[in-house]
Amino acid sequence: MSQIDWECSERAVRRAGACLYDPRTEAVTIRLTWSAYRAFGWEEFTETIRHELVHAWEFQQFGESGHGTRFAEKARELAAPRHCRTFSEARLRLRCSSCDWDARRYRASEAVKHPTERRCGACGSRYRVEHVESGRCWRTHAGYLVSRRKLDDEW
């Protein structure tokens, strides 16, 4: 395997690791998250490292990587999970008003700030945004602004 650069992230809020590839230079960088290490402990975190090494192998051998059959076979060889679990709970949730669709959000994305401009990913209906910890919900940009202001430090 060619050289791999390693980085640690203090900012990531849901990904335990990421394998970055620059097709111009063929450079591979594995970025691991300190918060995930603290949440998982060494035993589980080594699974994350092996998972990212499979991505690195795919990038170096094939110039692309995913979680398909080739990835699954190599992951099995290395006792690496095909998918890594998130290490933190989402702060926000989008919930459809008509079906069971929901989506987690960790940051105030455009869908969170301007929910009237978006639709459910499954049925196309409108959805509401929920701040998980407080239970506060909104359906409009104005509702987002009010909730953000009222939650203040608890945001």
Side-chain angles (χ1 to χ4, degrees):
M1 200 178 267
S2 301
Q3 180 180 339
I4 298 172
D5 292 318
W6 297 83
E7 296 177 353
C8 291
S9 172
E10 294 280 351
R11 294 187 55 222
V13 293
R14 68 176 183 258
R15 281 194 316 213
C19 186
L20 311 169
Y21 178 67
D22 183 339
R24 291 178 295 111
T25 64
E26 297 183 347
V28 174
T29 303
I30 293 178
R31 183 177 297 148
L32 301 170
T33 304
W34 278 112
S35 297
Y37 171 72
R38 287 190 291 270
F40 292 163
W42 178 246
E43 186 77 25
E44 185 172 354
F45 199 67
T46 59
E47 294 177 5
T48 300
I49 294 169
R50 289 192 302 275
H51 175 97
E52 298 309 332
L53 285 169
V54 174
H55 283 300
W57 169 78
E58 279 196 315
F59 280 130
Q60 290 175 340
Q61 295 298 309
F62 307 103
E64 63 180 13
S65 183
H67 292 102
T69 304
R70 181 180 62 211
F71 183 96
E73 289 171 6
K74 185 57 85 172
R76 211 174 1 265
E77 278 180 44
L78 299 176
R82 190 167 182 182
H83 300 282
C84 297
R85 72 179 176 95
T86 59
F87 63 91
S88 65
E89 293 299 316
R91 183 172 32 150
L92 304 157
R93 179 166 285 145
L94 311 179
R95 292 188 179 232
C96 180
S97 58
S98 297
C99 72
D100 291 338
W101 179 86
D102 74 342
R104 298 178 307 174
R105 295 292 182 267
Y106 294 82
R107 296 194 172 112
S109 65
E110 286 302 306
V112 167
K113 294 177 188 176
H114 300 278
T116 54
E117 296 175 15
R118 305 292 167 87
R119 295 288 184 267
C120 165
C123 72
S125 296
R126 292 188 182 273
Y127 62 83
R128 74 176 194 273
V129 182
E130 176 187 353
H131 183 266
V132 174
E133 191 173 315
S134 70
R136 183 175 279 283
C137 297
W138 61 91
R139 295 180 186 270
T140 65
H141 180 65
Y144 161 76
L145 293 173
V146 168
S147 294
R148 185 80 190 239
R149 188 177 71 247
K150 289 200 181 224
L151 288 168
D152 195 27
D153 289 341
E154 281 93 49
W155 177 255

